[in-house]
Amino acid sequence: MSDARHAAMTAKAWPFEEARRVLKRYEAGPPEKGHVLFETGYGPSGLPHIGTFGEVARTTMIRRAFEVISDIPTRLVCFSDDMDGMRKVPDNVPDPEMLSEHLQKPLTDVPDPFGTHESFGHHNNAMLRRFLDAFGFEYEFYSATEFYRSGAFDEILLRAAERYDDLMALMLETLREERRQTYSIFLPIHPETGRVLYVPIKHVDAAEGTVTFDDERGREWTVPVTGGHVKLQWKPDFGARWAALGVDFEMYGKDHSTNTPVYDGICKILGAKPPEHYTYELFLDENGEKISKSKGNGLTIDEWLTYASTESLSYYMFQKPRTAKRLYFDVIPKAMDEYHQQLRAYPDQPPEKQVENPVFHIHGGAVPQSGMVVPFSMLLNLASVSSAEDKGVLWGFIRRYAPEASPETHPDLDQAAGYAVRYYNDFVKPAKVYRAPTDLEREALTELREKLAAWDGPTDAEALQSVVYAVGRERFDPLRDWFRALYEVLLGASQGPRFGGFVALYGVAETVALIDKALAGELA
């Protein structure tokens, strides 16, 4: 047994805990289907949001963890519920009037308001796949429309007709009396209008595999349950899909958690073993509200990638999945720096610590080295004091601080410098507010300026930090008031970097000139 596999069998990192639960399903022998199937679902009623990425990223982490502890082959299916009827027009799409004419039609039968794909469902599926492909996920894409209409779902649909009474008994227990009167697990697609109908089913013929119903105008129709002529209500669909595909693991948000017994029950009635599940907490926007595809609130994947690396987003997704996470622009710098801190720690860790490190799960065990000789937060401050409009300005300082670094030898640092300039100009610069120093702060800044002006030692971050400490310790209690003053007076921010490191990077002479500007009232 390899060191990594041995360590993984007792690792407390949540991907390994989940992977061991999946492995336990096959203690008696490998699955008949020859692989372990991980699934993630997607409702393409609106543009994909960052939570969708998180679900696939986290499932991939568990899949990779499983591959460390087992030799059973794995698959990951990303399943799009694109046969759902469009219940409302999303807020963030063009030509909403046109879309309103197609309410209740399957999303793959609704025209694409963007004019780039054969349907709105196809457009949103393409958006999802483009996002997932950008991260290099290995997955198979399944469309519910194809699954229903190709016949791939027929066997389970016929079994659902045979076991209709048992399935209905389970579902009716979960419904209010009023809803029970009209509920059916089957939703017929109207043969003429193509709309998904929420109408009572008058008769289910298991032998013929058909359902009979009256449409909204009172006309009676009989259609097959196979071939895409009906679809299942969403809760039965969830469990039926597990049964049809042989799903071994699926995670979903907390808003689904109360339905887990229903999903499991459907799957069992249809003759299959329910998968292992994992419930994660929801993502919140800057106001603490749940992120919604239809509202388009919160961060999009493209927005995160404008200001930070893909790996930093994966790192953010790894952290405490069962804790609600505020997902807004201000979480990006911390995620960038913490990711690289973990990268730097990884090579010196023993195997039992490596398998607990988030970067092991982000990179599937093939962990790269970090080239970030300057933290991202420091790059942001450097962009701020230099009013940088492009990353070339930052490289002027970086080369002096770390002569061995270049865009060619440190591509992740070069990329981060570009992110820092964009982030500074879009978020830091508009909110930057300098203030004048108090008399005590002016006295301390004057002494710091004099000590730096006389500095003839090496440009060493720790040595310079000692100077900053010494000046502040004489005057400020608590000492953090001194550092807050440095940030607010010199950087126009309420918090900032380790100041000695900032001086080493920005330059001693440059810092002296910055203090002179502040003392002369040119910043505030």
Side-chain angles (χ1 to χ4, degrees):
M1 183 181 291
S2 69
D3 289 345
R5 178 169 290 190
H6 180 77
M9 293 306 292
T10 56
K12 293 180 181 178
W14 62 265
F16 280 121
E17 290 181 340
E18 297 308 305
R20 291 194 295 267
R21 284 204 301 125
V22 176
L23 182 61
K24 198 169 182 180
R25 292 168 68 87
Y26 296 110
E27 287 178 317
E32 290 184 16
K33 61 183 182 287
H35 60 268
V36 166
L37 185 64
F38 295 83
E39 186 190 42
T40 181
Y42 166 64
S45 55
L47 303 182
H49 63 66
I50 209 164
T52 308
F53 162 79
E55 196 165 293
V56 181
R58 290 166 171 170
T59 303
T60 296
M61 290 174 188
I62 297 168
R63 180 189 182 189
R64 295 298 177 226
F66 182 88
E67 291 171 345
V68 172
I69 64 174
S70 173
D71 296 321
I72 301 173
T74 65
R75 294 171 58 206
L76 170 60
V77 165
C78 183
F79 199 103
S80 171
D81 293 312
D82 56 20
M83 201 171 168
D84 286 354
M86 184 176 67
R87 296 189 180 185
K88 65 176 183 176
V89 177
D91 299 334
N92 53 354
V93 297
D95 204 0
E97 295 80 10
M98 178 275 291
L99 284 185
S100 65
E101 299 174 11
H102 297 275
L103 289 172
Q104 301 307 328
K105 286 186 179 179
L107 290 160
T108 44
D109 291 334
V110 174
D112 178 17
F114 297 91
T116 57
H117 293 78
E118 59 187 280
S119 75
F120 190 34
H122 285 86
H123 172 272
N124 291 342
N125 286 342
M127 291 285 288
L128 173 71
R129 296 180 73 171
R130 179 172 69 84
F131 288 151
L132 299 182
D133 290 344
F135 287 89
F137 289 122
E138 295 176 16
Y139 67 97
E140 300 166 48
F141 188 81
Y142 273 48
S143 157
T145 302
E146 294 177 15
F147 201 56
Y148 274 94
R149 292 177 182 173
S150 69
F153 212 5
D154 283 358
E155 181 182 349
I156 288 295
L157 291 167
L158 289 170
R159 196 176 302 165
E162 293 170 4
R163 303 177 186 181
Y164 182 76
D165 291 342
D166 291 338
L167 294 168
M168 284 292 291
L170 172 63
M171 290 306 305
L172 292 178
E173 287 180 4
T174 69
L175 302 173
R176 294 191 300 270
E177 182 60 34
E178 181 182 352
R179 183 82 172 95
R180 292 180 186 180
Q181 303 305 316
T182 60
Y183 183 86
S184 170
I185 63 167
F186 291 120
L187 300 177
I189 312 297
H190 197 290
E192 289 181 346
T193 66
R195 299 182 188 277
V196 180
L197 300 181
Y198 289 79
V199 294
I201 298 298
K202 296 170 68 175
H203 178 63
V204 176
D205 189 326
E208 293 294 324
T210 61
V211 294
T212 300
F213 61 95
D214 289 341
D215 67 14
E216 305 98 318
R217 295 168 57 188
R219 295 180 297 168
E220 183 176 278
W221 301 85
T222 298
V223 298
V225 297
T226 54
H229 295 282
V230 306
K231 73 174 300 294
L232 291 168
Q233 290 261 16
W234 70 275
K235 291 179 186 177
D237 185 271
F238 223 100
R241 192 165 71 220
W242 288 350
L245 294 172
V247 175
D248 292 296
F249 180 90
E250 180 155 0
M251 66 163 53
Y252 37 77
K254 181 183 177 182
D255 50 349
H256 280 272
S257 60
T258 56
N259 297 322
T260 296
V262 177
Y263 303 153
D264 285 352
I266 296 290
C267 189
K268 290 174 183 175
I269 291 171
L270 293 172
K273 182 179 180 180
E276 307 303 313
H277 355 79
Y278 184 93
T279 303
Y280 59 85
E281 263 288 1
L282 303 177
F283 295 101
L284 310 175
D285 66 10
E286 71 275 24
N287 299 315
E289 296 180 0
K290 176 190 167 187
I291 286 177
S292 163
K293 290 191 294 292
S294 59
K295 286 184 182 177
N297 60 332
L299 272 177
T300 67
I301 296 175
D302 281 346
E303 285 170 335
W304 185 292
L305 297 187
T306 299
Y307 305 106
S309 66
T310 58
E311 294 82 7
S312 67
L313 178 54
S314 294
Y315 173 83
Y316 187 78
M317 293 298 171
F318 179 88
Q319 300 299 312
K320 300 179 180 179
R322 286 189 162 142
T323 300
K325 299 171 80 70
R326 183 174 173 276
L327 192 54
Y328 199 59
F329 294 100
D330 55 3
V331 305
I332 289 176
K334 186 170 183 280
M336 278 284 284
D337 278 338
E338 288 185 359
Y339 163 70
H340 280 279
Q341 288 168 11
Q342 297 288 0
L343 273 188
R344 288 191 291 273
Y346 184 83
D348 299 324
Q349 293 175 325
E352 62 271 19
K353 291 293 185 183
Q354 287 183 331
V355 297
E356 301 279 3
N357 190 320
V359 299
F360 180 92
H361 301 277
I362 292 167
H363 295 284
V367 179
Q369 287 187 320
S370 171
M372 287 284 285
V373 294
V374 178
F376 187 69
S377 56
M378 193 77 82
L379 291 174
L380 285 176
N381 290 116
L382 194 58
S384 181
V385 295
S386 62
S387 298
E389 296 293 333
D390 65 75
K391 62 184 178 181
V393 174
L394 302 192
W395 270 108
F397 296 99
I398 295 169
R399 283 193 181 93
R400 185 176 58 190
Y401 175 75
E404 76 283 0
S406 72
E408 294 72 31
T409 60
H410 292 65
D412 52 354
L413 179 58
D414 183 55
Q415 186 184 51
Y419 292 141
V421 170
R422 285 197 289 273
Y423 192 95
Y424 160 71
N425 279 287
D426 290 351
F427 299 108
V428 179
K429 186 177 180 179
K432 210 163 47 161
V433 179
Y434 293 94
R435 68 170 175 83
T438 64
D439 291 343
L440 179 64
E441 291 165 354
R442 175 176 289 276
E443 178 186 301
L445 282 168
T446 300
E447 182 181 345
L448 178 60
R449 182 223 180 275
E450 290 171 355
K451 287 184 178 295
L452 291 178
W455 183 258
D456 61 356
T459 310
D460 177 75
E462 289 304 317
L464 290 165
Q465 183 74 359
S466 297
V467 173
V468 179
Y469 263 116
V471 172
R473 197 179 296 116
E474 295 177 8
R475 299 172 173 84
F476 296 90
D477 185 20
L479 192 58
R480 64 174 174 271
D481 289 347
W482 166 230
F483 289 101
R484 185 183 301 114
L486 290 172
Y487 305 144
E488 293 176 352
V489 174
L490 300 180
L491 302 179
S494 58
Q495 54 188 349
R498 189 172 168 81
F499 205 76
F502 170 75
V503 176
L505 176 62
Y506 185 50
V508 175
E510 287 79 2
T511 305
V512 169
L514 183 65
I515 295 173
D516 285 341
K517 283 185 177 181
L519 294 175
E522 295 176 22
L523 297 181

